[in-house]
Amino acid sequence: MYKTHGYAAKDANTPLAPFDIERRDVREHDVQIEVLFCGVCHSDLHQARNEWRNTIYPVVPGHEIVGRVTKVGAGVTRYKSGDLVGVGCLVDSCRTCASCAEGLEQYCENGFVGTYNGVDRVSGEVTYGGYSTSVVVDEAFVLNVPGNLDPAGAAPLLCAGITTYSPLRQWGAGPGKKVGIVGLGGLGHMGVKLARAMGAHVVLFTTSPSKVEDAKRLGAHEVVISKDPAQMQAHANSFDFILNTVAAQHDLNPFIELLKRDATMTLVGAPEHDHPSPQVFNLIFKRRRLAGSLIGGIAETQEMLDFCGQHGITSDIEIIPMQSINQAYDRMLKSDVKYRFVIDLNSLKQ
Ligand code: NAP
Ligand code: ZN
Ligand code: ZN
């Protein structure tokens, strides 16, 4: 075991505070990683505050990790010391069920192991995430970060990137398709960049008039203020796909009404309280679909990172020291993020 510094929430109502972690020594297939940068996902806030009612305390959040390999186990073949690598939301799964066999570890039928707030399949210990100076992860769940990408800007790809890339691919975003992205936060701004790079016609929906110019700069062809019924009505029955990233409970009907016949709105936002049920007739009369999607598997995450490498895509970030995490959470709740906070772990190493 070795000691690493981190930040943890010790219960749902207390700000995050310094917390020393004992990490395991590398097992045969493990990679030890010095964390350079870790993105701040809204899921970190949901879990630090037990909004999904399943948090094990103390919790060390962080699942958008970019770092350097510092040590590898005897059986590791894919990575060596010095490699620039990433770790996302998953650090293990059963590897034998039908979903795992298809490379869909996020839907593991025996339960995936989360990067934090999970339970290690070997030791039974609770996992601690990337708000820390070092992590140890099985090589099968470690990703290659393309060398041409800025490491800090690449960190959010490990969750915000893959969570938007996977449904955009699944529902066929590309040339000739009109794609809506709802919410311009961490996920939403990656959705805009990725859908644009895939060749779709991209429309961004926001509740924040101050974000209109940014949305266009990030790649949206059109921007709609979702609280303005006239702007919404202008897009009725016209979308092939809508990706909804909103982190709070809201009325889904105004967005469902914008879908064409047979089109889908997929929810990735995971709010504390469920959305009210949408009107059934809005679905029935145009055979519209409402769906969900969870992050992405390891193979698809690597595919997404390579796609971002080819297209030069990273997140628009604001770098913060670890000590500012509680202020960052407060700003995230006010939709005041441009467009992802990324922790520089050097702030914990000094
Ligand atoms: P974020 O950076 O806080 O962005 C959320 C955006 O939603 C805000 O910027 C805001 O955009 C919009 N919004 C917030 N409150 C709203 C409200 N009351 N009504 C309408 N719009 C509102 O959060 P994030 O990190 O992108 O995460 C978004 C959600 O996805 C979270 O719930 C997170 O837990 C979840 N998530 C899910 C997965 C998955 O696998 N399914 C993976 C990662 C994260 P505007 O200002 O543009 O309106
Ligand atoms: Zn996340
Ligand atoms: Zn499985």
Side-chain angles (χ1 to χ4, degrees):
M1 303 286 272
Y2 70 102
K3 191 182 259 190
T4 167
H5 302 301
Y7 257 56
K10 72 169 171 28
D11 58 53
N13 306 308
T14 314
L16 275 71
F19 178 71
D20 282 346
I21 303 164
E22 291 285 325
R23 296 280 188 193
R24 67 174 185 259
D25 290 320
V26 290
R27 300 193 289 239
E28 190 179 359
H29 295 287
D30 278 345
V31 177
Q32 185 194 66
I33 301 161
E34 177 195 1
V35 181
L36 300 175
F37 297 102
C38 184
V40 178
C41 181
H42 206 114
S43 303
D44 299 347
L45 188 162
H46 289 310
Q47 290 179 85
R49 300 186 178 176
N50 200 23
E51 290 177 356
W52 296 342
R53 296 168 283 278
N54 66 353
T55 303
I56 308 164
Y57 291 101
V59 63
V60 177
H63 57 209
E64 294 186 336
I65 299 169
V66 166
R68 289 260 173 223
V69 176
T70 41
K71 195 193 271 189
V72 297
V76 170
T77 57
R78 299 183 210 181
Y79 300 101
K80 59 179 190 317
S81 281
D83 286 351
L84 187 68
V85 296
V87 177
C89 304
L90 311 172
V91 290
D92 205 357
S93 68
C94 84
R95 309 186 196 198
T96 55
C97 73
S99 294
C100 285
E102 281 186 65
L104 299 169
E105 299 89 352
Q106 75 275 33
Y107 302 116
C108 175
E109 283 140 48
N110 297 303
F112 67 80
V113 180
T115 302
Y116 63 86
N117 201 38
V119 176
D120 183 82
R121 292 179 67 88
V122 177
S123 68
E125 289 172 345
V126 173
T127 56
Y128 293 134
Y131 292 9
S132 65
T133 51
S134 173
V135 294
V136 178
V137 180
D138 188 293
E139 67 169 331
F141 288 78
V142 175
L143 289 308
N144 242 307
V145 176
N148 63 317
L149 297 181
D150 167 52
L157 301 177
L158 276 307
C159 176
I162 184 60
T163 301
T164 50
Y165 181 91
S166 184
L168 287 168
R169 282 280 190 239
Q170 175 72 23
W171 280 278
K177 296 290 167 73
K178 184 173 173 182
V179 170
I181 305 287
V182 187
L184 196 67
L187 266 57
H189 94 291
M190 289 314 308
V192 167
K193 289 187 184 209
L194 291 167
R196 178 72 188 244
M198 289 172 188
H201 181 83
V202 183
V203 182
L204 183 276
F205 295 92
T206 182
T207 59
S208 309
S210 64
K211 295 181 182 173
V212 171
E213 289 315 310
D214 274 351
K216 289 183 179 158
R217 176 180 56 77
L218 292 164
H221 294 95
E222 300 177 67
V223 183
V224 172
I225 305 297
S226 54
K227 288 175 174 163
D228 178 346
Q231 286 191 44
M232 294 290 277
Q233 185 55 35
H235 290 271
N237 305 315
S238 68
F239 280 87
D240 295 287
F241 180 59
I242 297 178
L243 183 62
N244 188 325
T245 75
V246 172
Q249 185 187 52
H250 65 286
D251 183 5
L252 302 178
N253 289 303
F255 297 105
I256 291 174
E257 287 163 13
L258 307 188
L259 295 170
K260 282 181 181 168
R261 193 201 73 224
D262 286 322
T264 300
M265 176 160 80
T266 294
L267 307 177
V268 288
E272 176 178 11
H273 303 290
D274 277 331
H275 308 300
S277 172
Q279 284 162 18
V280 174
F281 275 35
N282 264 345
L283 295 167
I284 291 177
F285 270 83
K286 290 199 178 289
R287 203 160 57 185
R288 291 163 170 147
R289 300 163 209 208
L290 185 60
S293 183
L294 178 65
I295 45 178
I298 294 300
E300 194 176 39
T301 304
Q302 190 62 61
E303 177 189 306
M304 176 275 309
L305 286 167
D306 295 343
F307 178 89
C308 289
Q310 281 151 22
H311 292 267
I313 294 174
T314 52
S315 177
D316 281 35
I317 59 169
E318 180 175 336
I319 294 185
I320 58 167
M322 187 73 254
Q323 294 77 6
S324 297
I325 187 64
N326 295 302
Q327 293 92 307
Y329 279 6
D330 290 343
R331 283 181 55 194
M332 186 146 67
L333 281 178
K334 292 184 214 145
S335 299
D336 176 25
V337 191
K338 300 227 159 65
Y339 280 88
R340 196 59 137 185
F341 291 115
V342 171
I343 302 159
D344 179 352
L345 270 304
N346 255 328
S347 57
L348 271 190
K349 293 168 196 165
Q350 285 144 12

